[in-house]
Amino acid sequence: MLRRTLLPVLLFTCALTAQARDLTVFAAASLQDAFAEIGQMYRQGGAHDVGFSFAASSALARQIEQGAPAAVFASADEQWMDYLQQRGLIVADTRKSLLGNQLVLVVPADSTATVELKPGFDFARLLGGRRWVTGDPRSVPVGRYAQEALTRLGVWQFARSRLVRAENVRAALALVERGEAAAGIVYATDAAVSRKVRVAAVFPADTHTPITYPMAIVSRQDSAAARDFVQFLQGPEAAATFRKFGFSVR
Amino acid sequence: MLTPTEIIALRLSLQVALSAVAFSLPLAVLVAWALSRVDFAGKSLLHAFVHLPLVLPPVVIGYFLLVLFGTRGPIGGWLDEAFGLRLIFSRSGAALAAAVMSFPLMVRAIRLALDAVDRRLEDAARTLGATRFDVFFNVTLPLMLPGIISGCIVAFAAALGDFGATITFVGNVEGETQTLSLAIYSLAQSPDGDAAALRLVIISLVLALAALLFSEWVARRVRTYIGRA
Amino acid sequence: MSSPGEARLAVRVGRRLGDFSFACDIDVPLAGVTALFGASGAGKTTFINLVAGLQRPDSGRIVVGSRVFFDSEARVNEPVERRELGIVFQDARLFPHLTVHKNLMFGLRRARRRTAAPHIAFDAVVQLLGLAGMLERRPHTLSGGERQRVAVGRALLAQPRLLLMDEPLASLDGPRKAEVLPYIERLSDELDVPIVYVSHAVDEVLRLARRLVVLDRGMVVASGLVDDVLPDPAVARLFPAIEAGSLLHCVVRSHDERYGLSLLELEGGGVLRVPRVDLATGAALRVRIPARDVALSLSQPLDVSTVNRLPGTIIDMNRLDVTHIDVRVALGNARPMRARVTREAADRLGLAAGQPVWCLIKSVALDRATLLMAPDPGSEATESTLAIDPRGSRASRK
């Protein structure tokens, strides 16, 4: 009896591992939808299989540092890529930043709140006693950008006291969608894919460091397949997809 | 030695754990009583339900709490409308999450203590003119005390340590829900947070050990006091 | 049988628990000490639990004094805490988290809420039971005997209308028993509380009780005055510990210092000579004589060494077993003397009802009759308890 159950289980597991990704890509949460579609296109091209892990760039970088088997890393800010580069974990000459994004303030779709993002704007009135959410400014790129922008606008001291720190930008988005948070700061591309939030305002580009998405190959997992995929990412089909989702492409 | 963030997290953890235990205690005693002394339809269901947090992933519990007590959830919505009380992102919410996670431990300890009380002493008390209520408060409860105290302290330690339910339900809000576990998690994500994270880890360890040792000591003292050493 | 207005304890109940069925019909006056005697498993503890309300009968009626505690037809079931009973359990059951003082006050405090004037006072009980030195101690520091005394005190201070004692001495060893027994004896004398004393120890029953109810396997086998019930062979057959015999009431008439004897005058005439007892003349006492220590003679025995020879007339004869017969002999107006003779002897002597005979009581029998020497509870005499040393000559007063 044991053999009858054991054997199929073993075979099944082998089959799974046989289908193991040729390639694992770690990408920032905000790249989720675009990369998924690009991944589909790549697989249909037939060359290799590719799999993704989406999370906050901070979490991904730390995982790579711990030895996670990612071949490609796409971060939402330069700092986390620098972090890995300083530790010699990426192939430096494969590092390229092609994508850009905008920072927006969102509110739940049924909210009628409006705001003008100028210095000293009345954040308190917008929140109405409730809280706002973004990725944890200590580590998550979107949070860092948010802190930067709000500091530039002179409201960070107040904002900090009402902040809910989310895991990553999508988690922040979810909280706004659910109406638990009165507002959130996410990327324009995230707001675009959600029907349950409304963009209340766009942060002027001069309030924060430009949002860029450096991508690189992880040294330990360098391979032909990895390079092939990166090339695809930087190609015209991928670019079109990125633009479709709202990213700017250089 | 400790940064303000760390001190806030520590103080918050203690507050949240203490309120979690304090508020669950009466309910835990009631449930322990029901499971130990009363026969009713659905008793095993109650038992299973109470012990779910021991078995389910904490994040699942957190999610259930979110669905129920979130601002748009059935109970959360009512609390918001009726009392303007919002549990999400708040200390009370964190206490609720911690309470739910530590509840089964408290019930188990109290139930054990209750089972150990000699029913014959309760009979004797009744023959001396004490009503059932009287018997409970003047005979049963004092004799259960060591068990109740251990239960509270173990529950306190468990409440201190919760992560999954807390972060899923009430999120990570410094000063309100960022307990030690959440603070450690946050710091571990930050590029330069390792040292701070380690400090907090050590503090958590010390707290947990202290709580467990204290619980043993108290239980022993009370046992001698009531003559059962 | 009952005089008008006399309070009674009436328990007529049935209860089944698994294989064990318990049924009893007891109706005794609610006064003095009534002993409930039976072997282990006979239902003594069940009786206490039913009267106390800790168990519920399947059917029947329980009345204590003027209060109906249980009536299955009228659907009355008084809760335990309202029955105003005092229960002394075999295992004391003192509250371990309270001092002796607080244990004692437990019932009293609650009784005070019921009645304004408790009639059993704290100091009286403490003094009666010798508890003064232990008030601030905890139960686990007390000896078994001390614990039982506190348990008795606690039950008394609850101002009970009836005190039920469930084999209170069973868990004590000999010396402890001897220590506690006198306290219990004084209870019924000095406090006005009726007592039901449950036991399987004959000597306790004899020393303490006036009335006796005998239980066997959940049924009442006999009920009445101790003097009448105890000697009954039917009872003795069930309980080998109780030997069939006679309980005679006598009064000390004089002492014979020369021979170290005391003369006891039996009610109805007749004299018994016993090893000297340390009582004043005029003191009343009961004496128990096992039937097998009584021999019968058709003629007045003059050439025998037996000290005590009493004339009487055979009342009746009952076959005990294949070898023996129990013969009841009337001694004047006194209670009958019982003698156990072989059938062979009875046939040989031609014994029959109405026959005049002489009873020969081996004086040894009196030495061994340690059982009780309490004056009949209910008589005027108030001497304290006496025990005859089985080995020796001297009886000493406690």
Side-chain angles (χ1 to χ4, degrees):
Chain A
M1 204 245 340
L2 200 61
R3 208 154 357 126
R4 287 183 61 182
T5 48
L6 201 56
L7 205 52
V9 168
L10 277 174
L11 287 175
F12 185 63
T13 323
C14 289
L16 281 180
T17 42
Q19 260 174 41
R21 316 254 117 89
D22 295 345
L23 207 53
T24 305
V25 174
F26 276 18
S30 46
L31 294 169
Q32 208 166 291
D33 306 281
F35 266 48
E37 200 171 292
I38 291 171
Q40 269 289 79
M41 296 190 320
Y42 185 72
R43 273 185 223 109
Q44 273 155 8
H48 307 281
D49 191 15
V50 62
F52 299 99
S53 181
F54 299 110
S57 312
S58 46
L60 296 171
R62 299 285 249 162
Q63 283 169 19
I64 291 174
E65 190 189 11
Q66 302 298 326
V72 179
F73 178 48
S75 168
D77 69 9
E78 302 293 334
Q79 275 171 282
W80 280 109
M81 194 57 84
D82 290 340
Y83 181 82
L84 291 180
Q85 186 162 357
Q86 277 156 24
R87 286 155 179 76
L89 292 169
I90 55 161
V91 182
D93 60 11
T94 62
R95 176 175 174 168
K96 280 206 179 78
S97 302
L98 291 181
L99 302 174
N101 209 336
Q102 280 184 303
L103 199 66
V104 297
L105 182 70
V106 293
V107 291
D110 56 8
S111 159
T112 53
T114 55
V115 69
E116 203 190 320
L117 290 175
K118 54 185 189 345
F121 76 94
D122 197 347
F123 202 9
R125 192 182 56 84
L126 177 72
L127 293 181
R130 298 174 62 189
R131 295 179 179 267
W132 67 284
V133 60
T134 192
D136 193 341
R138 270 201 282 262
S139 47
V140 180
V142 70
R144 285 183 178 162
Y145 294 125
Q147 178 171 353
E148 233 196 300
L150 292 175
T151 309
R152 217 54 85 77
L153 293 172
V155 299
W156 175 243
Q157 276 304 95
F158 165 74
R160 181 167 197 235
S161 67
R162 305 304 299 165
L163 168 65
V164 178
R165 297 154 193 266
E167 287 290 285
N168 57 59
V169 71
R170 287 300 169 100
L173 184 69
L175 280 172
V176 180
E177 285 181 330
R178 227 185 251 121
E180 301 291 356
I185 295 182
V186 298
Y187 301 116
T189 51
D190 301 305
V193 297
S194 169
R195 271 167 305 177
K196 297 194 197 149
V197 302
R198 182 173 66 79
V199 176
V202 180
F203 282 88
D206 61 3
T207 53
H208 57 84
T209 330
I211 301 173
T212 54
Y213 288 83
M215 299 181 213
I217 292 186
V218 178
S219 320
R220 240 180 295 110
Q221 302 280 337
D222 195 356
S223 66
R227 298 208 177 224
D228 188 51
F229 182 68
V230 170
Q231 187 137 38
F232 187 75
L233 273 181
Q234 292 162 1
E237 290 159 313
T241 311
F242 283 127
R243 281 198 194 93
K244 186 176 87 172
F245 279 96
F247 294 90
S248 58
V249 185
R250 242 183 308 144
Chain B
M1 194 193 51
L2 289 177
T3 65
T5 310
E6 291 162 36
I7 295 179
I8 290 174
L10 176 58
R11 206 176 333 139
L12 183 69
S13 272
L14 291 172
Q15 275 178 326
V16 163
L18 275 171
S19 16
V21 168
F23 285 106
S24 340
L25 186 55
L27 186 62
V29 173
L30 202 64
V31 170
W33 178 273
L35 290 176
S36 170
R37 296 286 182 95
V38 185
D39 259 317
F40 56 95
K43 187 165 164 174
S44 10
L45 211 61
L46 176 66
H47 184 269
F49 196 70
V50 163
H51 286 74
L52 274 179
L54 280 180
V55 175
L56 284 178
V59 172
V60 173
I61 302 283
Y63 185 73
F64 276 135
L65 288 173
L66 188 59
V67 166
L68 280 176
F69 291 92
T71 323
R72 299 200 174 166
I75 304 179
W78 171 72
L79 285 173
D80 190 14
E81 263 171 75
F83 308 102
L85 182 67
R86 267 188 230 117
L87 291 172
I88 199 164
F89 304 150
S90 79
R91 211 171 295 185
S92 324
L96 177 60
V100 169
M101 293 305 294
S102 62
F103 192 66
L105 290 172
M106 217 189 302
V107 169
R108 281 173 84 91
I110 295 179
R111 195 209 163 147
L112 272 169
L114 187 55
D115 286 343
V117 171
D118 193 344
R119 306 282 293 264
R120 294 175 304 176
L121 289 173
E122 297 179 352
D123 286 344
R126 289 192 71 204
T127 66
L128 292 165
T131 60
R132 286 191 202 268
F133 232 56
D134 194 347
V135 171
F136 179 73
F137 282 106
N138 289 303
V139 178
T140 318
L141 208 53
L143 291 174
M144 280 166 69
L145 214 49
I148 292 184
I149 292 177
S150 311
C152 282
I153 295 179
V154 168
F156 175 80
L160 264 186
D162 178 63
F163 175 76
T166 308
I167 201 169
T168 313
F169 175 37
V170 292
N172 192 349
V173 182
E174 210 174 290
E176 279 295 315
T177 72
Q178 192 177 76
T179 54
L180 280 173
S181 330
L182 271 63
I184 291 169
Y185 181 69
S186 274
L187 288 166
Q189 309 281 53
S190 332
D192 50 359
D194 279 332
L198 195 60
R199 278 201 295 274
L200 289 183
V201 163
I202 292 174
I203 292 178
S204 307
L205 200 63
V206 168
L207 274 177
L209 269 174
L212 290 169
L213 289 172
F214 184 61
S215 122
E216 260 311 288
W217 178 80
V218 167
R220 228 179 309 132
R221 287 299 301 268
V222 177
R223 241 177 271 138
T224 342
Y225 178 75
I226 65 174
R228 295 248 217 110
Chain C
M1 231 188 103
S2 56
S3 35
E6 178 192 48
R8 300 191 70 80
L9 165 67
V11 179
R12 180 176 43 83
V13 291
R15 179 174 155 86
R16 278 199 85 86
L17 190 66
D19 288 336
F20 179 72
S21 72
F22 177 86
C24 79
D25 189 349
I26 297 172
D27 190 338
V28 294
L30 195 62
V33 181
T34 304
L36 195 68
F37 183 86
S40 313
K44 308 190 294 296
T45 303
T46 307
F47 176 83
I48 297 232
N49 284 337
L50 290 173
V51 174
L54 294 170
Q55 279 174 17
R56 198 196 151 105
D58 295 331
S59 64
R61 202 157 181 271
I62 299 177
V63 180
V64 173
S66 55
R67 305 206 23 212
V68 178
F69 284 167
F70 177 81
D71 190 332
S72 56
E73 271 164 55
R75 296 190 188 242
V76 173
N77 189 15
E78 195 80 21
V80 176
E81 57 270 17
R82 287 219 281 263
R83 295 196 180 191
E84 294 180 51
L85 298 171
I87 321 262
V88 180
F89 297 94
Q90 204 171 313
D91 49 354
R93 301 196 196 176
L94 299 183
F95 303 125
H97 60 295
L98 299 176
T99 58
V100 166
H101 184 112
K102 290 223 174 82
N103 264 284
L104 291 171
M105 292 300 294
F106 195 90
L108 182 56
R109 218 172 254 140
R110 283 147 185 86
R112 279 189 185 141
R113 289 181 214 146
R114 285 195 311 259
T115 76
H119 56 132
I120 300 176
F122 185 82
D123 293 330
V125 167
V126 167
Q127 220 221 0
L128 187 64
L129 296 167
L131 304 175
M134 9 173 149
L135 290 178
E136 291 313 309
R137 287 166 61 186
R138 295 262 163 149
H140 72 274
T141 63
L142 300 176
S143 73
E146 290 169 333
R147 255 180 261 167
Q148 277 300 24
R149 279 152 57 198
V150 174
V152 173
R154 183 178 70 175
L156 281 174
L157 286 168
Q159 313 300 314
R161 294 166 187 260
L162 169 64
L163 188 67
L164 291 155
M165 306 181 85
D166 188 1
E167 308 204 48
L169 306 182
S171 56
L172 303 178
D173 58 16
R176 299 297 136 258
K177 265 200 245 258
E179 170 203 325
V180 180
L181 203 49
Y183 289 101
I184 302 184
E185 281 180 295
R186 279 152 64 193
L187 276 185
S188 55
D189 293 341
E190 300 191 23
L191 295 175
D192 188 20
V193 180
I195 298 177
V196 168
Y197 189 93
V198 168
S199 177
H200 65 271
V202 183
D203 52 326
E204 289 169 32
V205 166
L206 286 172
R207 252 172 95 158
L208 301 172
R210 174 166 163 71
R211 281 196 180 69
L212 177 59
V213 173
V214 181
L215 283 179
D216 181 39
R217 278 171 291 194
M219 306 281 305
V220 172
V221 162
S223 171
L225 296 174
V226 172
D227 303 350
D228 298 330
V229 171
L230 207 53
D232 190 331
V235 170
R237 206 176 310 131
L238 288 171
F239 303 106
I242 306 179
E243 299 184 59
S246 325
L247 268 170
L248 303 178
H249 293 215
C250 15
V251 169
V252 177
R253 192 209 262 176
S254 63
H255 300 289
D256 185 341
E257 303 300 341
R258 190 156 49 111
Y259 283 120
L261 296 173
S262 293
L263 270 69
L264 306 179
E265 181 170 327
L266 292 168
E267 62 178 344
V271 171
L272 283 177
R273 284 178 177 73
V274 300
R276 196 190 185 297
V277 297
D278 193 13
L279 286 176
T281 49
L285 62 152
R286 284 188 288 175
V287 159
R288 195 166 120 78
I289 302 171
R292 63 182 157 79
D293 290 332
V294 178
L296 295 179
S297 168
L298 291 177
S299 57
Q300 181 175 18
L302 299 165
D303 294 351
V304 294
S305 65
T306 320
V307 169
N308 293 300
R309 297 146 291 179
L310 298 171
T313 317
I314 294 182
I315 303 171
D316 56 29
M317 294 169 31
N318 287 300
R319 196 179 131 125
L320 288 175
D321 56 44
V322 89
T323 326
H324 296 101
I325 293 191
D326 172 81
V327 181
R328 277 203 310 158
V329 178
L331 303 172
N333 287 337
R335 285 183 163 72
M337 172 81 67
R338 284 196 136 97
R340 196 169 84 144
V341 303
T342 56
R343 270 176 58 225
E344 186 274 330
D347 288 346
R348 182 164 36 86
L349 297 176
L351 298 180
Q355 172 115 32
V357 289
W358 282 83
C359 301
L360 281 72
I361 305 160
K362 297 193 276 203
S363 51
V364 146
L366 289 170
D367 287 339
R368 269 215 308 259
T370 320
L371 326 172
L372 144 320
M373 243 62 71
D376 181 9
S379 71
E380 271 72 37
T382 53
E383 288 302 316
S384 54
T385 323
L386 218 50
I388 283 191
D389 178 356
R391 271 175 306 283
S393 43
R394 192 82 63 79
S396 56
R397 182 191 314 181
K398 287 231 168 42

